[in-house]
Amino acid sequence: MLVERDDLLGGLSASMDAALAGDGELVFIGGEAGVGKTSLVRALAGGAAARCRIRTGSVDNVTTADALAAFHDAVPEIRDLLAGDGDRIALFRALRAALAGGPSLVILEDLHWADEATLDALRFLARRLDGVPALIVATYRHDEVTARHPLTGLLGDLATAPRTSRIVVPPLTVDGVGVLVDAAGADVEPATLHARTGGNAFFVSELLAAGGASLPSSVSDAVLARFSRLPPAAQDAAAAAATLGTSADAALIAAVAGRNLDAVDLCLDDGVLVEAPDGIGFRHVLARQAVEQGLSALRSRQLHRRALREVLARTPEDHRRIAHHAAGCGDSATAAVHAALAARQAARLGAHREAATQFRAALRHGVAGPERAGIFVALSYECYLTDQLPEAITARQHALELHELHGDRAAVGEDERWLSRLSWFLGRGADAERYATRAIATLEPLGPSDALAMAFSNLAQLRMLAKDNAGTEEWGTRALELATRLGEVEIQAHALNNLGVAAILEGQLPEGAARLQRSLDLALAGGLEEHVARAYTNLGSVAVDQRRYPAGLRDLEAGIAYCEEHDLDSWTRYMQAWLCIVLGEVGRFDESLALATTLLDSPGISPVSAIPAAAAAARAAGRQGDDATGFVALATSLASGTGELQRIAPAACAASEDAWLHDRSDEIPSHTEAAWTLALEHGDPWAVGELAWWRSLAGIVPPPDLDAAAPFALMLAGDGEAAVEAWEEIGSPVWAAYAAMLDPDASRADAAMRALDALGAQAAAGALLRTRREHGLPAPRRPRASARTRPGQLTARELDVLTLLARGLSNPEIAETLVVSPRTVEHHVSAVLRKLGEPTRGRAVAAALRDGVLDEV
């Protein structure tokens, strides 16, 4: 019985109408267990059945989630692909094509238990719902989705996606409970029942169904009260169904129960079990759990033993369930074998977290001998793919020990190379170098091999990241020559990437760019998605590092578009972090801060992405007068352990600028000491130049023979006019203003101050004036605050966006009108909402009209 859900159902029906008109929608429905999410979506399905195909799927918690299980049931057109070895993107495209084939309502239940592949598929679909006449409704327990839950990442990624929304189903009120009490004809006071149940619809219905003079104290007690009234045969059937976990056919339930089909019918008649499109099961997972947890250990083992026998006979390919039932009855050998098989099956479909869980189970159940080392290797890789890096290192170290024990030197070398890679991801630079050199020492005596070529290229990458260009050239050349001889295209792409970056850093821009482009071309031709991402990343990040902002923007945006199309989210986040830097340096502070904040809120973001994002956020916030302390601390703490100049220098410069903005320039020497030493050691002219500038503001005179990049060299030499021109040519209005800071010509300083005010960098403009006074230079008169502040603190472009929002334009329409990308519009909209303190576009427009920020439109 659906009570107090009319508004929610009406909203879903409106979404249904819009979706079936041609452009799909995705709605996440949250709520506590038993609150009535399933009843709501069933009511929606009942009303839509005549208009479209109803597709249903669910996820269970019996064991690890089955890879793409919800879509396996909801979209049977993809089952052949699930059984094959096709790539994940092809599978997702087939999924979208199936849904585009006709109007449908897709119901996916219990997404809080979903595997990684299912979440990735939803992410893929949500970004590509144009032209798909389908409403996808996904339910989940919002109170079980923690900050680090995989579903949190999906919800965050899709927070600003068009045609994606979230609703939460609230508990029933006392009046709602009263409706159910009246319908049941029970002699119970609704207020008492509401107090006992908190308005949870399932708990209310189970307590009413349990009957009796007194109310059971918990939902488990209520379920078990109904269970205890069943005849023994029916109890056996219900216990078998609870052990099997999900919907199953009646014959299987009867076989596991050791009873005939009449026992299953008794459960159906009593309502303990219900029929569904995919079989027979409990009305709610809470009921199944209550029955399962009420079984004795002996009874549970007996049922698992029967279930193991039946599942092996009926579906021997269902390794996940076989492993579960084998573990349940104490058959460790069978559990170990099938857990490993289930893990590899999950990994093939992209359910990497579930694969890791199954590999752990295989190890726990006693996989031994050389195979145990292989399981540790596989576990390490799955943890690497899912950002469980500490465990990835631990598992690979176990593999290394076992490979050493068995004398497998080739495997030892591979372990060492991977430990180098994993150490780098965790910011452990010294460990990364140590393992890299050990890998080469282990593999080189064994002769030429793919593993040796990759070990060479891995060390070249570390040398490149450390800005050791000579070392990069040495090891990268060795890697490229060996990979070419062996015909290893992937390693060639990797080596060319390292060599290209090193050449650019050496000032050989055409040669370096050609190598990077060749790396990109090889990767694109070979379908090597991660190498494509890496090529775009380095093309963009090196350009930004060298202050070639137009090229950096172009390559980063192209790379982000590619990675979003291929759902390479970790690479997307890394390039977006570099994009934050560009946006801040060209004066687009709000976009930089909005994107950086979104990135830093992403669960499991890696340190190498968090460092540039936090540094960029610190600068964008600080220049505008906002508190940047947290961003500075985050960037500094994460960068300190990496040992890499490209991480340490941006954090040090952000900390130094923040100190200058707040008149604490005496802190700059301590902020820059480590970065300054590294910059001089590596001879990086851009890092040397900026660090020298900040240090000069703290009274540290730069050495006369300093090799600084030209714009900084001009600033340090006091040639403000030439420095301003250099920065204007680069395209950074912020640094053009800073270049005029100590210029004796007050008119140039006045122009700089006004430029900063126009950008919204009021704190930077104020610090510029203070610094001129401290140096005895004439300070221009600053405009009154009212003259330099726009309503709501909005920039001119944000006012444009707000005006178009008030006219009812969508993000794509605004992007077309302003000739910018939809992503840029998203950042502007986020900034508008944040500054106006409103949660939605409609409320922001209403507030702007009310407060006079906007005129009537």
Side-chain angles (χ1 to χ4, degrees), residues 21 147 194 271 291 355 369 439 446 451 475 499 512 515 536 596 624 640 669 672 742 837:
H194 183 273
V291 173
L446 304 179
W475 294 106
L499 289 166
R515 284 174 166 178
Y536 274 127
Q624 296 180 98
S640 61
T672 58
L742 300 180

Side-chain angles (χ1 to χ4, degrees), residues 369-657:
E371 187 182 353
R372 189 171 182 81
I375 298 294
F376 273 121
V377 167
L379 172 60
S380 177
Y381 185 65
E382 299 304 318
C383 290
Y384 158 70
L385 292 176
T386 52
D387 285 332
Q388 300 175 79
L389 296 178
E391 185 178 358
I393 282 186
T394 300
R396 201 82 199 201
Q397 287 170 333
H398 284 310
L400 173 63
E401 293 168 1
L402 290 170
H403 284 139
E404 286 179 331
L405 183 65
H406 292 98
D408 189 342
R409 301 304 295 164
V412 167
E414 271 286 87
D415 292 334
E416 290 168 336
R417 198 263 299 174
W418 264 104
L419 285 167
S420 171
R421 176 85 173 144
L422 294 169
S423 297
W424 177 79
F425 268 108
L426 280 173
R428 302 173 185 172
D431 287 345
E433 286 277 345
R434 178 168 56 85
Y435 280 122
T437 54
R438 278 177 53 179
I440 292 172
T442 300
L443 292 168
E444 204 161 18
L446 304 179
S449 67
D450 294 351
L452 179 60
M454 193 63 225
F456 287 156
S457 197
N458 177 66
L459 185 54
Q461 180 182 8
L462 293 177
R463 293 285 186 260
M464 178 266 290
L465 293 168
K467 304 206 171 182
D468 174 3
N469 298 328
T472 307
E473 187 71 28
E474 175 190 352
W475 294 106
T477 300
R478 293 183 68 176
L480 182 60
E481 290 174 349
L482 181 53
T484 303
R485 180 153 43 110
L486 296 172
E488 252 297 334
V489 175
E490 184 173 359
I491 301 174
Q492 290 179 54
H494 191 271
L496 281 164
N497 195 306
N498 300 326
L499 289 166
V501 173
I504 291 174
L505 294 178
E506 279 287 295
Q508 302 164 16
L509 182 58
E511 181 182 353
R515 284 174 166 178
L516 278 171
Q517 189 62 49
R518 175 64 177 153
S519 172
L520 177 59
D521 292 343
L522 283 173
L524 285 168
L528 306 172
E529 293 177 0
E530 293 226 8
H531 290 280
V532 173
R534 186 167 176 258
Y536 274 127
T537 294
N538 284 341
L539 280 165
S541 61
V542 171
V544 173
D545 197 45
Q546 294 190 332
R547 277 61 170 182
R548 293 183 285 111
Y549 294 138
L553 274 170
R554 180 196 65 224
D555 290 327
L556 288 173
E557 289 178 346
I560 289 167
Y562 176 89
C563 291
E564 287 182 336
E565 175 65 24
H566 293 79
D567 292 294
L568 301 172
D569 288 344
S570 61
W571 287 101
T572 299
R573 285 193 285 267
Y574 186 65
M575 280 188 271
Q576 286 176 329
W578 278 91
L579 184 59
C580 293
I581 296 175
V582 187
L583 293 172
E585 294 307 279
V586 299
R588 292 157 63 178
F589 303 134
D590 286 313
E591 291 177 70
S592 175
L593 186 57
L595 179 55
T597 303
T598 300
L599 288 172
L600 294 171
D601 286 341
S602 300
I605 185 172
S606 66
V608 293
S609 297
I611 293 166
R619 297 186 131 177
R623 290 167 180 172
Q624 296 180 98
D626 295 332
D627 183 12
T629 306
F631 295 129
V632 170
L634 179 61
T636 303
S637 64
L638 290 175
S640 61
T642 66
E644 294 178 6
L645 179 62
Q646 70 166 318
R647 319 291 172 203
I648 293 173
C653 290
S656 297
E657 184 170 4

Side-chain angles (χ1 to χ4, degrees), residues 119-197:
L119 299 183
D120 285 345
L122 262 183
R123 184 181 286 107
F124 180 93
L125 288 173
R127 293 167 176 169
R128 299 162 180 84
L129 285 172
D130 293 351
V132 178
L135 175 64
I136 303 173
V137 174
T139 71
Y140 68 102
R141 297 182 188 175
H142 73 285
D143 54 336
E144 294 187 17
V145 178
T146 61
R148 298 191 63 82
H149 193 286
L151 182 55
T152 301
L154 174 66
L155 294 172
D157 289 345
L158 300 182
T160 59
R163 292 187 295 280
T164 298
S165 59
R166 267 190 271 179
I167 63 174
V168 174
V169 180
L172 298 174
T173 65
V174 174
D175 290 342
V177 171
V179 173
L180 293 178
V181 170
D182 291 342
D187 185 18
V188 178
E189 174 58 42
T192 303
L193 186 55
H194 183 273
R196 175 71 60 81
T197 63

Side-chain angles (χ1 to χ4, degrees), residues 656-802:
S656 297
E657 184 170 4
D658 188 64
W660 169 70
L661 288 168
H662 293 88
D663 198 15
R664 301 193 312 269
S665 294
D666 57 311
E667 297 176 4
I668 291 176
S670 62
H671 288 318
T672 58
E673 184 176 355
W676 179 248
T677 301
L678 276 175
L680 291 176
E681 179 184 331
H682 295 298
D684 183 320
W686 288 102
V688 165
E690 183 172 356
L691 289 164
W693 169 253
W694 294 120
R695 288 165 68 85
S696 73
L697 294 182
I700 302 175
V701 178
D705 56 347
L706 193 67
D707 183 17
F712 285 115
L714 292 168
M715 291 171 70
L716 293 166
D719 191 345
E721 183 177 5
V724 169
E725 290 177 359
W727 283 112
E728 287 177 343
E729 185 175 348
I730 285 171
S732 176
V734 177
W735 280 100
Y738 287 179
M741 186 188 307
L742 300 180
D743 195 307
D745 187 339
S747 65
R748 222 175 336 264
D750 179 69
M753 181 197 62
R754 291 177 183 275
L756 290 173
D757 272 333
L759 290 171
Q762 292 91 353
L768 182 149
L769 289 177
R770 185 193 69 241
T771 303
R772 286 187 65 82
R773 294 190 188 99
E774 290 170 353
H775 284 73
L777 295 169
R781 187 173 181 179
R782 198 175 183 192
R784 293 174 58 187
S786 60
R788 63 175 187 264
T789 302
R790 292 187 177 89
Q793 297 292 324
L794 301 179
T795 65
R797 179 47 58 93
E798 288 162 1
L799 278 172
D800 293 339
V801 169
L802 181 59

